Amino acid sequence: MRYWAAAKAAAGTAEEPYAAATLAEALDAARTAHAANPEFARVLLRCSFLVDGDPVGTRDHGTVPLAEGSTVEVLPPFAGG
């Protein structure tokens, strides 16, 4: 998982590995890993996600499969171009 902007600040890292079959599982594991920082879960609620460069959009995260080696980008809202 790659974290950007506020997500990176809340996670305390720019990226970290995950082991999950779906985006929902990966996000649940990340929330658990960062449970000591409640801001992390709040930031995730506002984020958009890309899986291997493809926007997840409004799809249910439980239906978004992750292949081995997939890259999940965690993008909080931001201003600008």
Side-chain angles (χ1 to χ4, degrees), residues 1-29:
M1 293 190 122
R2 291 186 187 152
Y3 301 111
W4 298 96
K8 178 179 172 181
T13 187
E15 61 182 70
E16 60 190 357
Y18 68 88
T22 67
L23 179 57
E25 290 175 10
L27 294 174
D28 286 345

Side-chain angles (χ1 to χ4, degrees), residues 1-15 40 43-44 46-50 71-78:
M1 293 190 122
R2 291 186 187 152
Y3 301 111
W4 298 96
K8 178 179 172 181
T13 187
E15 61 182 70
F40 180 79
V43 168
L44 283 186
R46 301 185 310 264
C47 287
S48 298
F49 304 96
L50 302 175
T71 299
V72 177
E73 306 276 349
V74 181
L75 307 166
F78 54 92

Side-chain angles (χ1 to χ4, degrees), residues 31-58:
R31 283 185 199 94
T32 298
H34 298 284
N37 181 3
E39 181 61 19
F40 180 79
R42 285 191 291 271
V43 168
L44 283 186
L45 291 173
R46 301 185 310 264
C47 287
S48 298
F49 304 96
L50 302 175
V51 175
D52 294 331
D54 294 325
V56 171
T58 60

Side-chain angles (χ1 to χ4, degrees), residues 53-70:
D54 294 325
V56 171
T58 60
R59 288 183 285 162
D60 180 318
H61 296 161
T63 66
V64 178
L66 299 177
E68 187 173 334
S70 286

